[in-house]
Amino acid sequence: MMQLKNKKTLTLMRITALIITLTSIYFFAPWKFALYYLSPLPTTVQDQTIDAIEQGMDGIIVYVQKSGQQPEYFVQGWHDRDKKIAAYAHALFKIGSIRKLYDASALTKLAGAGLIDVDKTLADYLPSLNGRIENADKITLRMMAQHRSGIANYTDTPNYDWSVSYPDPLALILDTPADFSPDTDYGYSNTNYLLLRRIMSNVLGYDHNLFIKAEILAPNDLTNTFASINDVNIDQLMSGYYVGYKNDFKTLDQGYVATANDVGRFILALNNGTFFTFEEQVLYASLYEYEHTGWVLGYSSIARYHKDIDTVVVQFINTNGNDTVMLSGIIYNRIIDILRTRRIQSSEL
């Protein structure tokens, strides 16, 4: 009876995932992806990483950790395509917007310490922006953390170039209309977290990244997470590629870099609430998410905890461009399906 129930559960999960994925594919991607998603699953995660390379990805790292067990690593492809260096599990990788989870955690701890009030406004903390950002006197830090501020996303501005390091990206959206009135809608905006980082640094009187290192990374022994490529041995950073270009984008400074192991252990700690007090856990839950994706030029990442299998899965792929975001998501979902199948099979033994 238990075996039948487990099989029905797995089938229902796959049908639900299939409906969601096919709906997205129908509207947003070529039909070849639908055919790929529907193709038979490989037996193992390692086989799926091999398949990812056959689908055109340059390199892939997958980290899998079930609570209470040692992590597993699955790698394939190139760490450095030009130097013919094979991908390896503990390489550093640019994690893009996954870093927002670290920022939101830092904001929570500063609020918990009484150093920041998330219900005060942007104008309260950065008065020079009053009149330069619409509704600055009405937008709270909470709204910014939740992406409910209405502040325009600087990476969506006309002619924004991901290959350029802008001295002050905020200048791209100053004196422009709001996308919507504060707290009336949701609109993902990198500008929100750019501003939150600036506010945290101002309140602290020093770089907020040092606070993250001291209060979040160090206590959890996350020694392979860094704020910039300037803080690492560049040879240990996985190369990043864009479809149709020969360039290696690893030398662009695009924010946080980390190993899959560090990201995976951070995600597990975040979901377990191990570096928060009870009050901080309640606040964080009202502010932000417990999983994230990341995208910067040459690098695509996904980091999630899957409660049904009690497992953290982190995926790094060093290729983007064209439809690779959709493809990366399909590869990740197939890996999760493989892990769910493995769990069902092990429970039947």
CSV table of all heavy atoms in Angstrom, one decimal, residues 132-161:
chain,number,residue,atom,x,y,z
A,132,ARG,N,14.3,62.4,-6.3
A,132,ARG,CA,15.1,61.8,-7.4
A,132,ARG,C,14.5,60.4,-7.7
A,132,ARG,O,14.6,60.0,-8.9
A,132,ARG,CB,16.6,61.7,-7.1
A,132,ARG,CG,17.3,62.9,-6.7
A,132,ARG,CD,17.4,64.0,-7.8
A,132,ARG,NE,17.8,63.5,-9.1
A,132,ARG,CZ,19.1,63.3,-9.4
A,132,ARG,NH1,20.1,63.6,-8.5
A,132,ARG,NH2,19.5,62.9,-10.6
A,133,ILE,N,14.0,59.8,-6.7
A,133,ILE,CA,13.2,58.5,-6.9
A,133,ILE,C,11.8,58.7,-6.5
A,133,ILE,O,11.5,59.1,-5.3
A,133,ILE,CB,13.9,57.4,-6.1
A,133,ILE,CG1,15.2,57.0,-6.6
A,133,ILE,CG2,13.0,56.1,-6.1
A,133,ILE,CD1,15.9,55.9,-5.9
A,134,GLU,N,10.9,58.5,-7.4
A,134,GLU,CA,9.5,58.8,-7.1
A,134,GLU,C,9.0,58.0,-5.9
A,134,GLU,O,9.3,56.8,-5.8
A,134,GLU,CB,8.6,58.5,-8.4
A,134,GLU,CG,7.2,59.0,-8.2
A,134,GLU,CD,6.4,58.7,-9.5
A,134,GLU,OE1,6.9,58.2,-10.5
A,134,GLU,OE2,5.2,59.2,-9.6
A,135,ASN,N,8.3,58.6,-5.0
A,135,ASN,CA,7.7,58.0,-3.9
A,135,ASN,C,8.7,57.6,-2.8
A,135,ASN,O,8.4,56.8,-1.9
A,135,ASN,CB,6.9,56.8,-4.2
A,135,ASN,CG,5.7,57.1,-5.2
A,135,ASN,OD1,5.0,58.0,-5.0
A,135,ASN,ND2,5.6,56.3,-6.2
A,136,ALA,N,9.9,58.2,-2.9
A,136,ALA,CA,11.0,57.8,-1.9
A,136,ALA,C,10.5,58.0,-0.5
A,136,ALA,O,11.0,57.3,0.5
A,136,ALA,CB,12.2,58.6,-2.2
A,137,ASP,N,9.6,59.0,-0.2
A,137,ASP,CA,9.1,59.3,1.1
A,137,ASP,C,8.0,58.3,1.5
A,137,ASP,O,7.5,58.4,2.7
A,137,ASP,CB,8.6,60.7,1.2
A,137,ASP,CG,7.5,61.0,0.2
A,137,ASP,OD1,7.4,60.3,-0.8
A,137,ASP,OD2,6.8,62.0,0.5
A,138,LYS,N,7.6,57.4,0.6
A,138,LYS,CA,6.5,56.5,0.9
A,138,LYS,C,7.0,55.0,0.9
A,138,LYS,O,6.4,54.1,1.4
A,138,LYS,CB,5.3,56.7,0.0
A,138,LYS,CG,4.7,58.0,0.0
A,138,LYS,CD,3.5,58.1,-1.0
A,138,LYS,CE,2.9,59.5,-1.0
A,138,LYS,NZ,3.8,60.5,-1.5
A,139,ILE,N,8.1,54.8,0.2
A,139,ILE,CA,8.6,53.5,0.0
A,139,ILE,C,9.4,53.1,1.2
A,139,ILE,O,10.3,53.7,1.6
A,139,ILE,CB,9.5,53.4,-1.2
A,139,ILE,CG1,8.7,53.6,-2.5
A,139,ILE,CG2,10.2,52.0,-1.3
A,139,ILE,CD1,9.6,53.9,-3.7
A,140,THR,N,9.0,52.0,1.9
A,140,THR,CA,9.7,51.5,3.1
A,140,THR,C,10.8,50.5,2.7
A,140,THR,O,10.7,49.9,1.6
A,140,THR,CB,8.7,50.8,4.1
A,140,THR,OG1,8.2,49.6,3.5
A,140,THR,CG2,7.6,51.8,4.5
A,141,LEU,N,11.7,50.2,3.6
A,141,LEU,CA,12.7,49.2,3.3
A,141,LEU,C,12.0,47.8,3.2
A,141,LEU,O,12.5,47.0,2.4
A,141,LEU,CB,13.7,49.2,4.4
A,141,LEU,CG,14.9,50.2,4.3
A,141,LEU,CD1,14.4,51.6,4.2
A,141,LEU,CD2,15.9,50.0,5.5
A,142,ARG,N,11.0,47.6,3.9
A,142,ARG,CA,10.2,46.3,3.8
A,142,ARG,C,9.7,46.1,2.3
A,142,ARG,O,9.9,45.0,1.8
A,142,ARG,CB,9.1,46.3,4.8
A,142,ARG,CG,8.3,45.0,4.8
A,142,ARG,CD,7.1,45.1,5.7
A,142,ARG,NE,7.4,45.4,7.0
A,142,ARG,CZ,7.7,44.4,7.9
A,142,ARG,NH1,7.7,43.1,7.6
A,142,ARG,NH2,8.0,44.7,9.2
A,143,MET,N,9.2,47.2,1.8
A,143,MET,CA,8.7,47.1,0.4
A,143,MET,C,9.8,46.8,-0.6
A,143,MET,O,9.6,46.1,-1.5
A,143,MET,CB,8.0,48.4,0.0
A,143,MET,CG,6.7,48.7,0.8
A,143,MET,SD,6.1,50.4,0.3
A,143,MET,CE,4.9,50.7,1.7
A,144,MET,N,10.9,47.4,-0.3
A,144,MET,CA,12.1,47.2,-1.2
A,144,MET,C,12.6,45.8,-1.1
A,144,MET,O,12.8,45.1,-2.2
A,144,MET,CB,13.2,48.2,-0.8
A,144,MET,CG,12.9,49.6,-1.2
A,144,MET,SD,13.9,50.8,-0.3
A,144,MET,CE,15.5,50.4,-0.9
A,145,ALA,N,12.6,45.2,0.1
A,145,ALA,CA,13.1,43.9,0.3
A,145,ALA,C,12.1,42.9,-0.4
A,145,ALA,O,12.5,41.9,-1.0
A,145,ALA,CB,13.2,43.5,1.8
A,146,GLN,N,10.8,43.2,-0.4
A,146,GLN,CA,9.8,42.4,-1.0
A,146,GLN,C,9.6,42.6,-2.5
A,146,GLN,O,8.7,42.0,-3.1
A,146,GLN,CB,8.5,42.6,-0.3
A,146,GLN,CG,8.5,42.3,1.2
A,146,GLN,CD,7.2,42.7,1.9
A,146,GLN,OE1,6.5,43.7,1.5
A,146,GLN,NE2,6.9,42.1,3.0
A,147,HIS,N,10.3,43.6,-3.1
A,147,HIS,CA,10.1,44.0,-4.5
A,147,HIS,C,8.7,44.5,-4.7
A,147,HIS,O,8.1,44.3,-5.7
A,147,HIS,CB,10.4,42.8,-5.4
A,147,HIS,CG,11.8,42.4,-5.5
A,147,HIS,ND1,12.9,43.2,-5.9
A,147,HIS,CD2,12.4,41.2,-5.2
A,147,HIS,CE1,14.0,42.5,-5.8
A,147,HIS,NE2,13.8,41.3,-5.4
A,148,ARG,N,8.3,45.3,-3.8
A,148,ARG,CA,7.0,46.0,-3.9
A,148,ARG,C,7.1,47.5,-3.8
A,148,ARG,O,6.1,48.2,-3.5
A,148,ARG,CB,6.0,45.5,-2.8
A,148,ARG,CG,5.7,44.0,-2.9
A,148,ARG,CD,4.7,43.5,-1.8
A,148,ARG,NE,3.4,44.2,-2.0
A,148,ARG,CZ,2.4,43.9,-2.8
A,148,ARG,NH1,2.6,42.8,-3.6
A,148,ARG,NH2,1.3,44.6,-2.9
A,149,SER,N,8.2,48.0,-4.2
A,149,SER,CA,8.5,49.4,-4.1
A,149,SER,C,8.0,50.2,-5.3
A,149,SER,O,7.7,51.4,-5.2
A,149,SER,CB,10.0,49.7,-3.9
A,149,SER,OG,10.7,49.3,-5.1
A,150,GLY,N,8.0,49.6,-6.5
A,150,GLY,CA,7.7,50.3,-7.7
A,150,GLY,C,8.9,51.0,-8.3
A,150,GLY,O,8.8,51.6,-9.4
A,151,ILE,N,10.1,50.9,-7.7
A,151,ILE,CA,11.3,51.5,-8.2
A,151,ILE,C,11.8,50.7,-9.5
A,151,ILE,O,11.8,49.5,-9.5
A,151,ILE,CB,12.4,51.5,-7.2
A,151,ILE,CG1,12.0,52.3,-6.0
A,151,ILE,CG2,13.7,52.1,-7.8
A,151,ILE,CD1,13.0,52.2,-4.8
A,152,ALA,N,12.1,51.4,-10.5
A,152,ALA,CA,12.5,50.8,-11.8
A,152,ALA,C,13.7,49.9,-11.6
A,152,ALA,O,14.6,50.3,-10.8
A,152,ALA,CB,12.7,51.9,-12.9
A,153,ASN,N,13.8,48.9,-12.4
A,153,ASN,CA,15.0,48.0,-12.4
A,153,ASN,C,16.0,48.5,-13.3
A,153,ASN,O,15.8,48.6,-14.5
A,153,ASN,CB,14.5,46.6,-12.8
A,153,ASN,CG,15.6,45.6,-12.8
A,153,ASN,OD1,16.7,45.8,-12.3
A,153,ASN,ND2,15.4,44.4,-13.3
A,154,TYR,N,17.2,48.9,-12.8
A,154,TYR,CA,18.2,49.5,-13.6
A,154,TYR,C,18.7,48.6,-14.7
A,154,TYR,O,19.2,49.0,-15.8
A,154,TYR,CB,19.4,50.0,-12.8
A,154,TYR,CG,20.3,49.0,-12.1
A,154,TYR,CD1,21.3,48.4,-12.8
A,154,TYR,CD2,20.1,48.6,-10.8
A,154,TYR,CE1,22.1,47.5,-12.2
A,154,TYR,CE2,20.9,47.7,-10.2
A,154,TYR,CZ,21.9,47.1,-10.9
A,154,TYR,OH,22.7,46.2,-10.3
A,155,THR,N,18.6,47.2,-14.5
A,155,THR,CA,19.1,46.3,-15.6
A,155,THR,C,18.1,46.2,-16.7
A,155,THR,O,18.4,45.6,-17.7
A,155,THR,CB,19.4,44.9,-15.0
A,155,THR,OG1,18.2,44.4,-14.4
A,155,THR,CG2,20.5,45.0,-14.0
A,156,ASP,N,16.9,46.8,-16.5
A,156,ASP,CA,15.9,46.8,-17.6
A,156,ASP,C,15.9,48.1,-18.4
A,156,ASP,O,15.1,48.3,-19.3
A,156,ASP,CB,14.5,46.6,-17.0
A,156,ASP,CG,14.3,45.1,-16.6
A,156,ASP,OD1,15.1,44.3,-17.1
A,156,ASP,OD2,13.4,44.9,-15.8
A,157,THR,N,16.8,49.0,-18.0
A,157,THR,CA,16.8,50.3,-18.7
A,157,THR,C,17.3,50.2,-20.2
A,157,THR,O,18.1,49.2,-20.4
A,157,THR,CB,17.7,51.4,-18.0
A,157,THR,OG1,19.0,50.8,-17.8
A,157,THR,CG2,17.1,51.7,-16.6
A,158,PRO,N,16.9,51.0,-21.1
A,158,PRO,CA,17.3,50.9,-22.5
A,158,PRO,C,18.8,50.9,-22.6
A,158,PRO,O,19.5,51.7,-22.0
A,158,PRO,CB,16.7,52.2,-23.1
A,158,PRO,CG,15.5,52.5,-22.3
A,158,PRO,CD,15.9,52.2,-20.9
A,159,ASN,N,19.3,50.0,-23.4
A,159,ASN,CA,20.7,49.9,-23.7
A,159,ASN,C,21.6,49.5,-22.6
A,159,ASN,O,22.8,49.7,-22.6
A,159,ASN,CB,21.2,51.2,-24.3
A,159,ASN,CG,20.5,51.7,-25.6
A,159,ASN,OD1,20.2,50.9,-26.4
A,159,ASN,ND2,20.1,53.0,-25.6
A,160,TYR,N,21.0,49.0,-21.5
A,160,TYR,CA,21.8,48.5,-20.4
A,160,TYR,C,22.7,47.3,-20.9
A,160,TYR,O,22.2,46.4,-21.6
A,160,TYR,CB,21.0,47.9,-19.2
A,160,TYR,CG,21.8,47.4,-18.1
A,160,TYR,CD1,22.4,48.2,-17.2
A,160,TYR,CD2,22.1,46.0,-18.0
A,160,TYR,CE1,23.2,47.7,-16.2
A,160,TYR,CE2,22.9,45.5,-17.0
A,160,TYR,CZ,23.4,46.4,-16.1
A,160,TYR,OH,24.3,45.9,-15.1
A,161,ASP,N,24.0,47.4,-20.6
A,161,ASP,CA,25.0,46.4,-21.1
A,161,ASP,C,25.5,45.6,-19.9
A,161,ASP,O,26.2,46.2,-19.1
A,161,ASP,CB,26.1,47.2,-21.8
A,161,ASP,CG,27.0,46.3,-22.6
A,161,ASP,OD1,27.1,45.1,-22.2
A,161,ASP,OD2,27.8,46.7,-23.4
